[in-house]
Amino acid sequence: MIYTQHPHRRARPAFLMLPFTLAARAFRPARPGRLTDGTIEAFQLARTIIGFAATIWMIYAYPMQQSMSSFAKDKLAEIFISTGVLIVAGPLALVLFVAAARAPSRAVYVRRLSGPMAGFAALFASVLTLFLLLQNSDGARLAPQFGPFQIVFLLVALAAVLFAVPFGLASAVLCVHHVFRTGDVHEILPPLLSPVLVWVMFGFQLAGGSPVAAPHAVQLLFLVGPPLSVTLLSMWEIRRLRTRFGVTILGALHRGPRPTH
């Protein structure tokens, strides 16, 4: 006897994953012809895994100075702060990069700005939706204005919130991971912007203190390690782009002998 899977069982997980799938499409660089390097991506993934594993080890190795819920909220706040920094620094860096580029590269980069702009629009839309529906229960106050259709409005509003919350969280994480999708404009931009982001976050973490009662040497290692490792990885990535693919900052700006990509 042949058993077939009910189509609703396949559709249900796909529907639940829809916010994350759309967030990935909105924030993952997708420019055709974009230069990719599996070695660089593997090192970035390895650094992320090592950092996550080190954080878990630190939590279990030393007494917490705050509750786990407070720790989780602080980490979530760091993601949103990082996103906020990128929302400011990302467009500014793109404007400076495009302005510094010479023709014909400048016109090419202007056309490529559609990728970062799409990510910004998606993030702004999710934040605006949550703000309008959740701020002081505005959604519930608006419902009576729809008269007999208020139940329809409430269902649509609930669906919008249930979509916008995971989409917004995934967007914040992916916005930081893909550095505001600046790789769509040029491959040299993500390794240039990543150190700026992590050192800004270093300042916030320095003011906040350590979440665990660990020796000062361990606290210093976990405080300086992330920005230092990201900086070293970015320097290596810039060097690899130059030595393996001929990509340089001057070449990207059309101010040197190297070809742009």
Side-chain angles (χ1 to χ4, degrees), residues 64 66-78:
M64 295 287 293
Q66 55 185 175
S67 65
M68 285 299 297
S69 60
S70 297
F71 176 76
K73 290 179 181 177
D74 288 346
K75 289 300 178 184
L76 188 61
E78 288 178 7

Side-chain angles (χ1 to χ4, degrees), residues 20-109:
F20 305 99
T21 302
L22 293 180
R25 290 182 181 179
F27 288 93
R28 183 183 296 121
R31 170 172 57 86
R34 185 177 63 90
L35 181 66
T36 58
D37 184 4
T39 303
I40 292 177
E41 293 176 351
F43 270 83
Q44 291 173 341
L45 179 61
R47 187 218 159 266
T48 301
I49 294 174
I50 292 172
F52 181 77
T55 301
I56 297 299
W57 172 83
M58 181 182 67
I59 293 173
Y60 283 96
Y62 298 101
M64 295 287 293
Q65 298 189 124
Q66 55 185 175
S67 65
M68 285 299 297
S69 60
S70 297
F71 176 76
K73 290 179 181 177
D74 288 346
K75 289 300 178 184
L76 188 61
E78 288 178 7
I79 293 176
F80 286 124
I81 292 173
S82 299
T83 306
V85 172
L86 274 178
I87 288 176
V88 176
L92 179 61
L94 289 174
V95 169
L96 294 176
F97 182 80
V98 173
R102 291 176 176 173
S105 297
R106 183 180 299 171
V108 174
Y109 297 151

Side-chain angles (χ1 to χ4, degrees), residues 155-223:
L155 290 175
V156 172
L158 177 61
V161 171
L162 292 178
F163 175 85
V165 169
F167 179 84
L169 291 175
S171 297
V173 173
L174 292 171
C175 179
V176 174
H177 181 72
H178 293 296
V179 198
F180 202 71
R181 202 171 167 175
T182 52
D184 266 350
V185 178
H186 198 280
E187 293 81 1
I188 203 69
L189 285 170
L192 289 177
L193 283 174
S194 294
V196 176
L197 174 63
V198 294
W199 283 109
V200 170
M201 293 308 302
F202 169 80
F204 283 101
Q205 293 169 349
L206 188 63
S210 175
V212 299
H216 291 298
V218 175
Q219 293 184 15
L220 181 63
L221 176 63
F222 277 86
L223 185 64

